[in-house]
Amino acid sequence: NPTPGEQNIAAPSHDGDASTTPPGPQGTIPQMSPPSADITLYLPVEKIVVAGAPTVFSVYALTRAGKPIEGSTYTWSFGDGGSRVGATTTYRYFYPGRYIAQVEGGNGFIAGTARMIIKVVSPDIGLSSIIFGKYGPFIDINNPNMYDLDISDWKLSIDGALFSFPKNTLLSQGVTHFSGASMGFASTTVSSSTIIKLLFPSMDEVIRVVQEKEATVSP
């Protein structure tokens, strides 16, 4: 009971209800849980790329329930010391070998990782001079390897004039004919001094040949 003229202090509660006592300055602070591994990232099992050629790498992700993910970011590690960010990115390996590329994705609430094997091969490719056949000029590119090579967005240079190989152009083992009518160089003037080059998308040279004759007739 209050006493007139005295400092009144409430007596402590003895009902055992600790929930009525506010936390002190040393009270425990709840910690946030780490993102849960609830994303499925989709990558090829293995990818063959050519040393020195810029290559596009892509990943897409869904929740385990099959729903798209909003606001997700992706970080790549390519196994040779290099890294990139983004769902789609371009990377260039400089040395042949076998590498493991890993990508991590998440939006702060859910996260996941995936990896794939990268087989980096030397650009062992043969290039012919321009051959004039029944249906106009063409060139031959020889892939001596047991595997397909992706030359998407590579360039063919004929005396400095550039002609691009379209996306998803694959070289199987052996010789592939590339028509001048299809690629756009059918009307290009050539001579015995014409220089023909195969270039990476970065414009770095892969191989070059000099036109042997002004006109070469195919069998």
Side-chain angles (χ1 to χ4, degrees), residues 18-85:
S19 63
T20 60
T21 304
Q26 297 182 353
T28 301
I29 300 174
Q31 298 296 316
M32 296 296 293
S33 298
S36 61
D38 196 32
I39 293 179
T40 301
L41 300 178
Y42 294 89
L43 289 175
V45 175
E46 183 175 278
K47 188 178 183 72
I48 296 176
V49 304
V50 177
T55 304
V56 175
F57 293 86
S58 296
V59 62
Y60 71 94
L62 297 173
T63 66
R64 296 195 187 278
K67 297 181 180 180
I69 302 167
E70 298 293 336
S72 185
T73 59
Y74 302 92
T75 302
W76 296 79
S77 176
F78 288 98
D80 66 341
S83 62
R84 292 289 187 274
V85 295

Side-chain angles (χ1 to χ4, degrees), residues 17-164:
D17 185 4
S19 63
T20 60
T21 304
Q26 297 182 353
T28 301
I29 300 174
Q31 298 296 316
M32 296 296 293
S33 298
S36 61
D38 196 32
I39 293 179
T40 301
L41 300 178
Y42 294 89
L43 289 175
V45 175
E46 183 175 278
K47 188 178 183 72
I48 296 176
V49 304
V50 177
T55 304
V56 175
F57 293 86
S58 296
V59 62
Y60 71 94
L62 297 173
T63 66
R64 296 195 187 278
K67 297 181 180 180
I69 302 167
E70 298 293 336
S72 185
T73 59
Y74 302 92
T75 302
W76 296 79
S77 176
F78 288 98
D80 66 341
S83 62
R84 292 289 187 274
V85 295
T88 299
T89 187
T90 300
Y91 190 74
R92 179 163 57 168
Y93 286 92
F94 291 98
Y95 302 103
R98 190 176 178 88
Y99 303 88
I100 297 177
Q102 180 163 299
V103 60
E104 181 180 89
N107 62 2
F109 299 98
I110 51 179
T113 60
R115 61 169 57 186
M116 65 176 167
I117 301 298
I118 306 296
K119 184 178 181 180
V120 183
V121 297
S122 300
D124 298 326
I125 298 175
L127 177 67
S128 76
S129 58
I130 296 176
I131 304 169
F132 291 86
K134 179 179 179 180
Y135 300 105
F138 64 94
I139 62 164
D140 285 344
I141 299 180
N142 179 31
N143 174 20
N145 305 290
M146 297 292 293
Y147 42 78
D148 298 340
L149 291 179
D150 187 349
I151 62 169
S152 301
D153 300 320
W154 291 26
K155 313 293 183 185
L156 179 69
S157 170
I158 303 176
D159 281 340
L162 297 177
F163 307 91
S164 295

